[in-house]
Amino acid sequence: MREHVVTREMIANPKSKYGNPKAATRHFFLQRLSGVSNIVFTLFLVFIVVRLAGEGRADVVGLLGNPLVGIPFAILFAIVAFHMRIGMNEVIEDYVSEERTNRLTMALNAFFALAVGLVGVVSILKIVFWG
């Protein structure tokens, strides 16, 4: 693999992956914010797991069917998928150096995170609103 020399011009260019400090700050802030949200919602998830330990499917559907439980659980799922996308973007930026492969993996990562998030949230909301 060929090493890339990072120059001042490359860093100053807002179109390079090293430029645009506003985007970098936004990503940093969103990753930290979603991480803190995950901690808070994980406590909620632990409550659900402890509450449902040893219960059957009907009890699980009954608990998740309660909007006070199901909607925060759906929000948790969405935040975790968003946090996953941001984290994997960081890994891809650090380890995939070829431009076309980088763009492809970024697009696939965004698609995968969106698909996982949508399937999870729609499934939980289906239980909440339609049993």
Side-chain angles (χ1 to χ4, degrees):
M1 178 166 43
R2 190 170 54 138
E3 291 292 321
H4 293 281
V5 178
V6 179
T7 63
R8 291 180 91 58
E9 292 80 26
M10 189 182 293
I11 292 172
N13 181 3
K15 295 187 179 196
S16 74
K17 67 179 180 179
Y18 302 107
N20 200 349
K22 289 181 182 178
T25 303
R26 185 182 70 239
H27 282 276
F28 179 83
F29 179 73
L30 288 175
Q31 188 172 22
R32 297 317 182 266
L33 183 65
S34 64
V36 169
S37 299
N38 284 341
I39 291 171
V40 172
F41 278 111
T42 300
L43 296 173
F44 178 69
L45 179 64
V46 168
F47 162 74
I48 290 175
V49 169
V50 169
R51 169 75 172 74
L52 293 174
E55 300 292 332
R57 183 186 183 283
D59 294 324
V60 172
V61 171
L63 182 65
L64 288 179
N66 180 353
L68 294 176
V69 176
I71 292 175
F73 194 66
I75 293 170
L76 168 67
F77 213 97
I79 292 172
V80 167
F82 177 72
H83 188 75
M84 175 183 70
R85 186 188 67 83
I86 293 174
M88 286 305 300
N89 273 353
E90 294 294 324
V91 172
I92 292 167
E93 286 174 357
D94 289 343
Y95 294 107
V96 180
S97 59
E98 203 273 315
E99 185 69 29
R100 289 179 62 194
T101 307
N102 186 297
R103 284 194 311 245
L104 175 65
T105 53
M106 288 286 201
L108 290 173
N109 178 47
F111 173 74
F112 179 75
L114 182 65
V116 167
L118 280 175
V119 167
V121 168
V122 168
S123 299
I124 294 165
L125 293 178
K126 181 183 179 291
I127 293 172
V128 169
F129 295 113
W130 295 284

